[in-house]
Amino acid sequence: MEASILLVGGDDFLSTLLNRIRNLVSCTVEVAPTPSEAVPLIQAQQPDLIILQGNLPGGLELCRQIKDQARLAWIYCIVLDSPVQMLERAWLDRNWEMDCRIEALENGADAYLWLPQNDPHGEILEKEILLQQDRLLRAQIVSGLQMVKNHRELMRTNDILSAIALSDPLTELNNRRALDWELPRQVANARARAEPLSLVMLDVDYFKAINDTYGHPVGDRALQLISSRLRHNLRFRDTLFRYGGEEFVIILSNTDQQEALLVARRLCRLISDQSFAIEENLDLNLTISAGTASLKHVDDSRGASLLQRADQNLLQAKAAGRNRVFSCLDTSPQPDAENVPAARENE
């Protein structure tokens, strides 16, 4: 992808620098005459690199604002001063340059360049000096773009590692670590928006018998098929996690107790109504038990008490005979499949 550069400065600064940069590096260049006009461009497009006119009113404040925002701080900022005429005395010129450099770096600039256009007598600088300036400008831009590229590659690597860490390799569902991260966020969102939030905790009935009878590869395949059936029958706002072993948790955002009970019952029927083709000559009739719970104002911010209630209701469903749902709305949980198999291959 071609690099993107934003130039922020007055008309003379922009006209001088625009073609100069395009001749030095392959990039797309946007311009903004003032910091206030630059802000929406930076927020929307997030350019790789910004070159700011050093003496532009508000320019250094813009640089500091960018670096103070975590999501924008990676943008490489170069402050560039291009005085029309150098001072008569070289030591005054050096002091001026040093003061400008210090102020730019103190305001978060990644680099500062001093590229005067004329000599002390107002004459255009020699061609060799201008070429040297172009080399310096190009080298600084390339260096900045390389740092941005390295940052983005690191972020992509971190995203991949995070996805691996939060994903269950067998079922490709979100794992328990992902639930520990997501549930507090959902609790906070529900409370901020005054919306209901519910959980469903599911457990595959008699799963140990599958592993003991057919072996762990068959058990693993059964979990994959169950996960797939659950995942493809959830609503868009539901989030499915493999909690561990044969247990699953579903976060139901904007869902009250009654709706959660209906969702859980529907999922139980989806599992029990159709057998699972594990192998060419092996179909298993499987069922699940489920417990639901809904967020209360007394629940902790991490959702631990909410999860614990869903787990307790799941235990109630299993104690009542399995293949059913239990919630705080139930007084005596009933089977959620029309016909509970009298004998099943996995029992």
Side-chain angles (χ1 to χ4, degrees):
M1 184 176 67
E2 196 173 51
S4 58
I5 296 176
L6 175 64
L7 304 182
V8 185
D11 291 340
D12 291 341
F13 178 83
L14 295 177
S15 61
T16 301
L17 209 56
L18 190 58
N19 290 330
R20 193 173 184 181
I21 289 177
R22 284 176 172 161
N23 291 330
L24 294 177
V25 292
S26 176
C27 61
T28 59
V29 182
E30 296 274 353
V31 299
T34 65
S36 60
E37 292 175 87
V39 169
L41 288 174
I42 295 169
Q43 297 286 351
Q45 300 178 14
Q46 297 190 8
D48 299 311
L49 188 145
I50 296 175
I51 300 180
L52 289 163
Q53 181 179 347
N55 61 352
L56 182 70
L60 295 184
E61 288 80 359
L62 175 63
C63 181
R64 187 171 61 252
Q65 290 173 16
I66 292 169
K67 295 304 179 178
D68 285 343
Q69 299 182 53
R71 72 183 192 90
L72 300 176
W74 55 269
I75 297 175
Y76 198 85
C77 293
I78 299 175
V79 174
L80 191 152
D81 272 318
S82 184
V84 175
Q85 183 173 333
M86 296 173 67
L87 301 179
E88 288 288 345
R89 298 182 181 180
W91 67 271
L92 289 174
D93 196 68
R94 284 195 299 271
N95 285 347
W96 183 15
E97 177 188 353
M98 183 63 68
D99 286 341
C100 293
R101 183 184 301 275
I102 292 171
E103 188 177 8
L105 296 178
E106 285 178 343
N107 281 276
D110 295 289
Y112 176 85
L113 294 180
W114 173 270
L115 303 179
Q117 299 177 32
N118 301 324
D119 67 13
H121 304 290
E123 298 178 2
I124 297 175
L125 296 175
E126 295 180 5
K127 183 178 180 180
E128 290 77 8
I129 297 178
L130 293 175
L131 289 175
Q132 190 178 43
Q133 285 187 359
D134 284 346
R135 285 184 61 193
L136 176 60
L137 179 59
R138 183 182 185 280
Q140 190 62 71
I141 291 173
V142 170
S143 175
L145 293 176
Q146 184 61 51
M147 290 184 68
V148 171
K149 179 182 177 182
N150 292 343
H151 170 83
R152 287 185 164 170
E153 288 178 352
L154 179 61
M155 291 301 99
R156 279 195 292 269
T157 301
N158 288 341
D159 288 343
I160 293 171
L161 292 176
S162 295
I164 292 172
L166 299 175
S167 177
D168 173 55
L170 177 65
T171 62
E172 298 182 352
L173 299 178
N174 297 311
N175 61 17
R176 184 168 180 169
R177 181 179 295 178
L179 176 66
D180 291 340
W181 178 85
E182 178 66 11
L183 185 53
R185 192 181 72 85
Q186 291 267 13
V187 169
N189 286 344
R191 285 175 169 162
R193 298 171 183 172
E195 294 177 349
L197 178 71
S198 298
L199 294 184
V200 178
M201 181 171 277
L202 309 171
D203 186 276
V204 182
D205 295 331
Y206 303 103
F207 185 74
K208 183 176 183 298
I210 298 176
N211 287 331
D212 292 345
T213 303
Y214 301 103
H216 287 278
V218 169
D220 288 348
R221 183 58 180 158
L223 288 174
Q224 289 174 333
L225 294 175
I226 290 171
S227 300
S228 179
R229 191 176 295 184
L230 290 172
R231 182 170 57 235
H232 289 99
N233 285 281
L234 292 175
R235 304 167 304 175
F236 73 93
R237 64 176 182 266
D238 303 335
T239 311
L240 176 64
F241 303 82
R242 185 185 179 194
Y243 191 64
E246 66 273 22
E247 286 188 315
F248 301 85
V249 171
I250 307 170
I251 298 179
L252 307 177
S253 61
N254 198 16
T255 302
D256 61 22
Q257 292 186 72
Q258 187 63 52
E259 291 177 301
L261 181 58
L262 295 175
V263 170
R265 285 176 171 169
R266 179 175 61 85
L267 294 176
C268 281
R269 288 193 296 272
L270 283 167
I271 297 300
S272 64
D273 283 355
Q274 184 178 347
S275 62
F276 291 83
I278 305 297
E279 296 174 350
E280 186 176 350
N281 298 315
L282 178 61
D283 290 351
L284 294 180
N285 295 313
L286 304 174
T287 64
I288 59 175
S289 300
T292 71
S294 296
L295 185 66
K296 299 179 179 180
H297 71 278
V298 295
D299 285 323
D300 63 277
S301 61
R302 297 196 59 80
S305 54
L306 173 63
L307 187 63
Q308 184 178 28
R309 283 202 309 280
D311 188 34
Q312 289 299 316
N313 288 338
L314 169 60
L315 293 176
Q316 290 270 25
K318 294 174 73 172
R322 294 181 170 84
N323 189 25
R324 64 199 68 209
V325 178
F326 186 80
S327 80
C328 295
L329 297 176
D330 288 326
T331 55
S332 58
Q334 299 298 317
D336 288 289
E338 292 182 3
N339 298 300
V340 180
R344 295 173 300 179
E345 291 189 58
N346 61 314
E347 286 190 80

